[in-house]
């Protein structure tokens, strides 16, 4: 799982550093491969981590054990969300995902007792219906306000909730699909080779079906109804609402059923591939896993460096970020340390879990698989 997080980190670095459009306005290879999908991979892996940290194939018992798990996840979500709001306040040069992820962790506490089948069914329903609900709740022109929450919105809870759940860059209403899918995966036994193969093959099939279905619908009339010149001008997080054909689009951060399904597919494929890699050669997976075990620290440092250095887009800076992440991650591991932000968040989460559990210690270890994100 940590090796899969490393893949998500590389994709995130690429999206934040490499050009996403050519001079004539066409998407670059970086945008086509990693645009939106690296963030979605983090979302799916967050769901897998929630499931693993709360018992894996064994769900927490009802009562105090469930409350303890929910408390640990709530504390984790609140700390991640607070860090995200602070990064927004600092004026970092990219849109910050952490406040939205924080909400997802808080909501996950209510879902940890659901079975894999229920979680999978809920993910399918969310994939199909939440984009429609979002479409119906956003009549009229697209909002031209902020795309991420700020500290000042504490005095405007309505605006804060609207951005977090509906109109922001990573709206929780639709992005909870990734959490549900990840939790369904994490509640399954991932140790057999067959599980990794099913994830890899099933993920590739789902991604291809999602992309091809979108292309067919757009060719059948969607592109004409939307307008060819508007297809490449989607805002982040949501689509316009002037025609239902927008829901046939599959582009990064569009929040449509095809984007959600395709991104879940690519996330499944990456996780399956990393599971197979670890079985084939643990040594090859070791360094990526070390770096991927510190995603919150790596994410935050990346934003701070981008803010301070303001690098020109290009492969050279991408290489600097990747090498820097590997050196830092391996260096911390060699000294017996975990990521500093992961240590703070995991420690607070475990403390909350123990406090609620009381004398009946939970059988799971909150935080052992979450690693901060």
């Amino acid at each position: 799982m940590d090796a899969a997080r490393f893949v998500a980190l590389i994709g995130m670095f690429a999206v934040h550093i490499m050009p996403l459009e050519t001079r004539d306005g066409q998407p670059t290879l970086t945008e086509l491969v990693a645009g939106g999908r690296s963030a979605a991979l983090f979302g799916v892996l967050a769901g897998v981590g929630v499931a693993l940290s709360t018992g894996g194939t064994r769900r927490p018992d009802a009562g105090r054990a469930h409350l303890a798990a929910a408390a640990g996840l709530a504390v984790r979500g609140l700390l991640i969300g607070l860090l995200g709001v602070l990064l927004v306040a600092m004026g970092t040069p990219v849109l910050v995902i952490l406040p939205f992820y924080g909400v997802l962790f808080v909501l996950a506490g209510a879902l940890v007792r659901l079975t894999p089948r229920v979680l999978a069914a809920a993910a399918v329903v969310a994939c199909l219906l939440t984009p429609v609900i979002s479409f119906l709740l956003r009549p009229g022109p697209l909002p031209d306000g902020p795309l991420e929450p700020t500290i000042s919105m504490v005095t405007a809870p309505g605006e804060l909730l609207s951005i977090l759940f509906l109109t922001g860059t990573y709206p929780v209403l639709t992005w909870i699909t990734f959490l549900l899918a990840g939790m369904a995966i994490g509640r399954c036994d991932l140790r057999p080779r067959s599980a990794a193969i099913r994830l890899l093959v099933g993920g590739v099939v789902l991604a291809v079906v999602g992309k091809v279905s979108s292309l067919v619908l757009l060719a059948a009339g969607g592109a004409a109804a939307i307008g060819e010149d508007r297809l490449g001008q989607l805002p982040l997080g949501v689509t316009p609402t002037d025609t239902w054909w927008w829901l046939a689009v599959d582009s990064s951060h569009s929040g449509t059923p095809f984007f959600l399904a395709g991104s879940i597919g690519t996330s499944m494929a990456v996780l399956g591939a990393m599971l197979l890699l670890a079985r084939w050669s643990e040594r090859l997976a070791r360094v990526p896993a070390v770096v991927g075990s510190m995603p919150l620290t790596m994410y935050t440092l990346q934003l701070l460096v981008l803010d301070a250095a303001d690098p020109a887009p290009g492969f050279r800076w991408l290489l600097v970020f990747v090498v820097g992440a590997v050196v830092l991650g391996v260096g911390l591991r060699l000294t017996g340390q975990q990521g500093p932000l992961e240590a703070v968040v995991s420690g607070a989460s475990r403390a909350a879990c123990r406090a609620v559990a009381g004398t009946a210690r939970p059988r799971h270890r909150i935080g052992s698989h979450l690693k901060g994100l």
Side-chain angles (χ1 to χ4, degrees):
M1 234 187 66
D2 287 337
R5 284 197 186 97
F6 175 76
V7 175
L9 281 170
I10 300 303
M12 178 187 66
F13 290 162
V15 168
H16 291 165
I17 297 169
M18 298 292 288
L20 301 181
E21 286 187 357
T22 61
R23 292 182 178 180
D24 58 355
Q26 297 301 311
T28 63
L29 181 62
T30 299
E31 168 66 12
L32 292 173
V33 173
R37 288 174 173 79
S38 57
L41 177 55
F42 274 124
V44 172
L45 293 176
V48 177
V50 167
L52 293 177
S53 69
T54 55
T57 57
R58 298 180 62 195
R59 295 167 291 145
D61 297 328
R64 182 170 289 186
H66 181 196
L67 292 177
L73 290 168
V75 169
R76 179 175 297 276
L78 290 173
L79 290 177
I80 290 174
L82 177 61
L83 174 62
V85 172
L86 292 176
L87 289 172
V88 172
M90 292 175 61
T92 51
V94 300
L95 294 167
V96 181
I97 196 173
L98 297 184
F100 305 92
Y101 269 22
V103 175
L104 289 175
F105 276 113
V106 174
L107 295 177
L111 306 172
V112 294
R113 284 196 35 80
L114 298 180
T115 66
R117 290 184 178 181
V118 172
L119 288 166
V124 172
V125 171
C127 179
L128 296 175
L129 293 187
T130 57
V132 176
I133 296 172
S134 173
F135 193 95
L136 292 173
L137 292 177
R138 295 181 293 104
L142 285 169
D144 56 2
L147 297 175
E148 51 192 356
T150 61
I151 295 176
S152 62
M153 290 180 187
V154 173
T155 59
E159 182 182 11
L160 176 63
L161 291 175
S162 177
I163 290 175
L164 285 173
F165 283 87
L166 195 61
T167 62
T169 316
Y170 309 94
V172 173
L173 174 63
T174 50
W175 278 65
I176 198 171
T177 307
F178 299 130
L179 178 75
L180 291 166
M183 290 182 67
I185 294 170
R187 285 282 180 246
C188 300
D189 187 359
L190 300 179
R191 292 171 296 179
R193 184 190 302 271
S194 58
I197 294 174
R198 284 195 296 268
L199 282 172
L200 176 58
V201 175
V204 170
V205 170
L206 180 58
V208 171
V209 169
K211 173 60 71 174
V212 171
S213 300
S214 172
L215 293 175
V216 169
L217 287 174
L218 291 177
I226 294 171
E228 294 283 356
D229 57 328
R230 300 178 65 198
L231 281 174
Q233 302 175 2
L234 278 176
L236 294 174
V238 295
T239 65
T241 58
D242 54 293
T243 171
W244 284 96
W245 280 108
W246 280 113
L247 295 183
V249 169
D250 176 22
S251 59
S252 63
H253 298 287
S254 59
T256 67
F258 298 100
F259 165 73
L260 296 175
S263 298
I264 290 172
T266 54
S267 300
M268 291 168 56
V270 169
L271 179 56
M274 292 301 103
L275 288 169
L276 290 173
L277 175 64
R279 292 179 64 92
W280 179 60
S281 174
E282 185 180 340
R283 288 186 177 182
L284 287 178
R286 188 172 298 162
V287 170
V290 167
V291 180
S293 69
M294 309 173 189
L296 190 59
T297 296
M298 298 299 178
Y299 178 86
T300 303
L301 285 176
Q302 174 218 193
L303 296 192
L304 295 178
V305 172
L306 286 173
D307 188 34
D310 191 22
F315 182 76
R316 181 179 299 178
W317 270 102
L318 175 60
L319 186 61
V320 169
F321 273 80
V322 173
V323 172
V326 170
V327 171
L328 176 61
V330 172
L332 287 173
R333 181 57 57 87
L334 289 176
T335 60
Q337 305 295 317
Q338 66 179 128
L341 292 179
E342 284 76 15
V344 171
V345 173
S346 295
S349 177
R350 286 194 295 267
C353 184
R354 288 194 298 266
V356 174
T359 56
R361 293 178 64 85
R363 65 183 178 219
H364 55 270
R365 293 181 58 202
I366 278 287
S368 60
H369 293 279
L370 292 178
K371 309 290 187 183
L373 273 177

